[in-house]
Amino acid sequence: MVTGDGTKGYAPDAPYDRVISTASVRTIPAAWIGQTRPGGVLVVPWGSDYGDDALTRLVVAEDGSASGRCGADLAFMRLRSQRRDFLEPSADQIGTAATTRTAHGGRELFEMVTFTRASFTIGLRVPFCYLTVEDVTDDRRLVELHDVRTRSWARVTLIRGQTPWTVHQLGPRRLWDEADTAYSWWRKAGEPTPNRFGPTVTPDGTHTVWLDTRPDFTGTPTPAPQLAPYAPPAPSGAATHPPTPPPPRQEPQLTPLRPHRPVGAPGARPSDNTRHPHRRRSEAPKTPR
């Protein structure tokens, strides 16, 4: 048995024919690919922060890249170095949030948080977005999206028998709008299941996700959303000038992150465990009402 940082692999006995990870990853460590011989196989629970992972089988090529297709839904503990936390804005901060309404019903919300439906696709198209679902009462449920990197947050409050539902959003990203756009893309793309996607990782660590294409990219890879504002081209014959940047958005500072507490740890609240789909599979999101 060898103990240490698993992301570094174990070079003394490399190259390996097979590498199997029992911890899930958002990005596949370069050492795992580099220490696998050409033609060798990696089996990795891989996915986004948005929902459960997919059991992914990748084959290493002669050029040092690795490519493969996603498979079954599963939930493993995330590598420590790739875990994310969530934001908890105060009631006063939520009171200053941008507020909209969603016309989605229970069916659409169910699809947006269910692995075999749209959640895997949404996670691929909305990077760094962490989904949590919490039942407050039998008639009230909170669906929240978090990006601790940009300190952006969104909440949809689901109340039985009341639609449309209220959406609150804070931070430079409008996470619910991005997730809603990704859901629409999933519907227009024919509602692809996770096993139609696959990642390719180049030797420099670049991850590209493709849909229904072979690893040689004969088709169209799924692009990441463009977060930068779009500047329309100047009219023909008009002088071009750098666009005037918009004034900075005045956003409240969100509450500092609360550290992870392991299941059953002293001082852990029930929501510390139930809000995180990655922590315990038995507490995965339920069907929205």
Side-chain angles (χ1 to χ4, degrees):
M1 178 181 292
V2 178
T3 60
D5 184 352
T7 63
K8 297 179 180 179
Y10 187 65
D13 288 345
Y16 301 101
D17 295 324
R18 299 289 187 271
V19 172
I20 300 174
S21 172
T22 55
S24 69
V25 297
R26 182 177 58 256
T27 57
I28 299 170
W32 296 1
I33 299 174
Q35 294 174 20
T36 305
R37 66 168 180 81
V41 174
L42 289 88
V43 178
V44 182
W46 174 81
S48 68
D49 292 314
Y50 188 86
D52 281 353
D53 305 301
L55 186 62
T56 305
R57 181 182 185 274
L58 302 99
V59 178
V60 176
E62 292 287 346
D63 64 359
S65 64
S67 186
R69 191 173 293 277
C70 299
D73 166 29
L74 76 172
F76 277 72
M77 185 70 74
R78 182 59 57 90
L79 283 179
R80 291 183 181 180
S81 61
Q82 297 187 17
R83 294 177 190 173
R84 297 198 184 281
D85 216 317
F86 59 92
L87 299 166
E88 286 195 308
S90 67
D92 290 341
Q93 292 166 338
I94 294 174
T96 67
T99 303
T100 57
R101 294 281 196 172
T102 175
H104 288 318
R107 173 181 176 272
E108 290 84 4
L109 265 294
F110 171 74
E111 290 182 331
M112 292 181 74
V113 300
T114 303
F115 175 87
T116 55
R117 300 301 294 160
S119 74
F120 189 76
T121 301
I122 293 173
L124 296 178
R125 296 186 64 85
V126 186
F128 307 106
C129 181
Y130 194 178
L131 167 71
T132 62
V133 179
E134 180 179 16
D135 286 333
V136 181
T137 67
D138 288 342
D139 296 321
R140 186 167 178 262
R141 175 171 296 165
L142 304 179
V143 176
E144 294 183 352
L145 306 178
H146 313 256
D147 176 9
V148 299
R149 183 180 58 98
T150 62
R151 305 191 70 77
S152 300
W153 172 90
R155 171 189 286 173
V156 182
T157 303
L158 312 181
I159 301 176
R160 185 195 296 270
Q162 295 185 20
T163 55
W165 292 312
T166 301
V167 181
H168 293 90
Q169 301 189 84
L170 288 168
R173 294 180 68 183
R174 291 300 183 245
L175 292 174
W176 177 255
D177 296 344
E178 291 185 34
D180 199 24
T181 299
Y183 174 72
S184 297
W185 182 94
W186 175 78
R187 294 288 298 272
K188 293 177 181 177
E191 303 182 0
T193 52
N195 60 5
R196 290 174 57 188
F197 291 94
T200 291
V201 187
T202 59
D204 65 359
T206 300
H207 287 54
T208 303
V209 182
W210 39 271
L211 170 65
D212 288 339
T213 65
R214 302 184 66 84
D216 57 6
F217 302 118
T218 56
T220 303
T222 58
Q226 297 296 318
L227 302 183
Y230 171 70
S236 177
T240 58
H241 302 281
T244 302
R249 188 192 301 273
Q250 298 298 318
E251 297 286 353
Q253 181 65 31
L254 298 184
T255 303
L257 301 182
R258 179 159 48 82
H260 281 294
R261 296 188 180 98
V263 175
R269 303 183 307 176
S271 62
D272 290 336
N273 302 327
T274 59
R275 291 168 65 100
H276 290 267
H278 291 306
R279 290 192 179 177
R280 298 178 65 183
R281 184 169 176 78
S282 62
E283 294 162 349
K286 303 175 184 177
T287 306
R289 301 179 180 88

